[in-house]
Amino acid sequence: PGRQPRQQHQHRRNHRASPPGAVAHLSLAPLEGTLGPGGARERALTSARERRHFAERVEGGSGQMGKSMQQNSCGVRRASIALILLLALSVGLNVFMQGNYTSRGPGVRGAEGQHTPYANCDQGVNGIDISNAFTPASSEISFMSGMVIDALNRHGLLRQYISTHRIRFTFTLLWIMESMIFLEDKRILMIGEKWDMPVLIAELYNVEPENMILTTFDEAGTSTKVFSKSRKEDITVPLEKLDAELDLWPVESGSIDAIFCFEVVEHFPVGPVTFNSEVARVLKPKGRLFLSTPNGASLANVAKIIRHDQPANYIKYIAPGRPITHVLEHSPNTIRAQILKGGDLKIVEHRTFSPYGNERAYADIVRDRGVYEFLVKHGYNPHWFGDTHFLEITRADSPVPSVPIPAVPELPSQGASIPVSDRASLPSIPVSDRASLQWALKPAGGDVMQESIAGVETLNRHGLWSSAKASERIRLGYTIAQLKGAMDFSSGRVLIIGDSWDMAVLAVELLNVDSSRITVAATGEMTYPAPSFLSRDLERKTVTLSHDSFDVATEAWPYESGAFDAILCFGVVEHFELGPTTFVEEAGRVLAPGGQGRMFLTTPNSGALVNLWKISQAEIPALNVKYQGVGKKITNVLEYAPKWLAWWLTVGGFLKMVDHHTFSPYEQLEDKAQVILRDDALLKKVLDYGMQPKWMGEVHWIQLQSGDRA
């Protein structure tokens, strides 16, 4: 692109013939130069799209396309009108977005490689640039977006996914244009791409299909047809099966100019075991990896936590029976650690942007000075405010220089910070009930400590306690204390869901459940032999606990309806890859009917107050981070926010909510929560915006009863 003389290009544009009666071609002259320096607009306009679809019109009807146009002038007239309407809609959308949100283009690199925005960014107070948190709106975005829609529409690829990701596609393509002006003769490897990106790269960058290598995690086959400018025809591109996370790549070393990996790494359940080394191996010395992935620590996620919504982009893909495929949405720290691990790669540039319009629902919080100043004060870089990461990566030995990350703005001093010591030193909080903030702090009641000690001693006697479980000590005590206050378990039949005997032992020894009335439903192989107990109902004979192994999330449960008085399910639902739809239906079926049966459940709370502090440290707002490690599967597939968990568990009427609150059992996080509790201004804001104190804790505690449906 951009290699034709300007006079020739202008001649081609003006010489295009329109069919009889068609509306004249709409001039694009007002967009002159808006796609950045170096003739980027010319590169876009002389793409394969122009060459293919307008050159034949110059012939005045010659060729199959011209004959069809002469025979179907009414259809062409409608198409021309539609094109004008599309461009008008694009301009109108641009005006609307510029009037309502910040105007910011993707920017270009200055003489020293620094990022320079096209338009004025939305500057917050004290020089804090919050523009990354807002959907970009500029003439170049609108223009390129129209080209994206046009190219995909002609290939029959327009669908809801494109509507959602249109701005991300556009921004990504413009940024690639900044870094690699000419892609026409480059060899490109696309990870996880089947349809959209190959078409766009061929149409907008004149890349030949023969220079594309397409891979998918699914079965091998063929991708879409891509237009070849040399053959003047569509060519079907083969699709290779490749697990880019774990497999060795079937690509020659040092043969690739660019790798495109867009919205892929969030699906990796294990981590980049071979990804980094394979990228470094197949890239040429100055080759680039362009990578995008959702930002788990965006400013919009701060607003979502405050509103008790799910702090993630993938929530829009969640539906009953549909896999939760975003295993981990990375924070700035974790994605950089993953890429740099092993020393094979280096990051040339790392930005964030917001293509999904998330700020529309949370603009009041996102724009609130007190909220983002608090984050910046504790080290959160506004550079990371966006919803999506975009990284440009190369080999560690590449001569390509790295663009430094902007420094965190220094805010004016606001006096000495309050030391974090004990809860008695907390300042007065402007809320009606000071005790209501207990949910964000470690439970301090004597009954919790007593049950914690008893629980540890009980498990230790059965050889089920280890130092690895020490962090769960308070959670254990709180669970037992809550169960004792909820119902009498001594005469009921209890179903325990999990993959160890811990809760079964505690139920027998501390809740007085008869061992003959306990059934353990294991989601995997039991790791210890079943303990034996004396049964009161069987003349004190020794009874071994029974258990069944099946997938409680997806399979029908092998129990009769109404068979159990109580179900205990602690630390399980966050591992469900398909969501808890089947689980909820089966639980409602096997519980005693008429509201007599009870289910007790715990699971991590992704909307905890302490997660605001985690985001300020550019970390993932979740507990599952502690389970990460390269080569180790990330098992917490989805940690629920309060609103989403309540909806999942009660949808369909199989179960009814009795009690839903949270607690904070992890001592190592209490000081972090107190950082927020000590900030009177911030705490008042989050409460005013609707954050409920009972949902500020790290772990959900839920009690449900059997619903109206069988």
Side-chain angles (χ1 to χ4, degrees), residues 326-356:
H326 284 210
V327 180
L328 180 62
E329 295 196 351
H330 286 275
S331 71
N333 287 354
T334 60
I335 188 62
R336 294 180 68 84
Q338 294 266 9
I339 294 300
L340 298 176
K341 192 175 185 65
D344 298 309
L345 302 172
K346 72 176 180 180
I347 298 173
V348 176
E349 187 163 10
H350 184 184
R351 318 173 184 178
T352 62
F353 65 106
S354 299
Y356 303 118

Side-chain angles (χ1 to χ4, degrees), residues 561-565 588-597 705-710:
S561 298
F564 297 99
D565 298 287
R589 180 183 66 81
V590 304
L591 277 176
Q596 298 301 309
Q705 67 181 26
S706 49
D708 300 327
R709 295 182 59 177

Side-chain angles (χ1 to χ4, degrees), residues 101-107 115-125 127-137 171 175 299-300 351-355 357 359 366-367 372 381-388:
Y101 311 109
T102 179
S103 174
R104 182 178 188 271
H115 181 72
T116 305
Y118 284 115
N120 292 329
C121 293
D122 188 345
Q123 295 289 334
V125 295
I128 300 175
D129 178 4
I130 63 174
S131 61
N132 285 344
F134 291 86
T135 303
F171 234 49
W175 271 343
L299 188 57
R351 318 173 184 178
T352 62
F353 65 106
S354 299
E359 79 281 357
V366 171
R367 288 187 181 276
Y372 63 74
N381 195 326
H383 196 64
W384 309 135
F385 280 2
D387 295 334
T388 300

Side-chain angles (χ1 to χ4, degrees), residues 156-200:
L157 295 176
L158 280 185
R159 58 194 195 281
Q160 182 60 41
Y161 181 84
I162 301 301
S163 177
T164 302
H165 292 265
R166 176 176 53 87
I167 300 297
R168 179 179 64 80
F169 272 100
T170 303
F171 234 49
T172 301
L173 291 169
L174 286 171
W175 271 343
I176 293 173
M177 186 181 292
E178 291 179 22
S179 300
M180 303 187 73
I181 295 177
F182 299 110
L183 288 177
E184 190 167 355
D185 301 321
K186 306 298 184 184
R187 194 163 185 231
I188 300 174
L189 171 63
M190 302 186 190
I191 304 296
E193 296 287 356
K194 294 183 181 180
W195 305 287
D196 310 315
M197 193 56 67
V199 167
L200 294 176

Side-chain angles (χ1 to χ4, degrees), residues 1-6 8 43 46 51 182-185:
R3 294 182 180 178
Q4 297 186 19
R6 179 171 181 77
Q8 179 183 355
R43 290 196 297 275
T46 58
R51 299 180 186 186
F182 299 110
L183 288 177
E184 190 167 355
D185 301 321

Side-chain angles (χ1 to χ4, degrees), residues 543-558:
V543 174
T544 300
L545 296 177
S546 63
H547 74 278
D548 303 297
S549 294
F550 62 97
D551 189 340
V552 296
T554 60
E555 299 178 18
W557 296 6

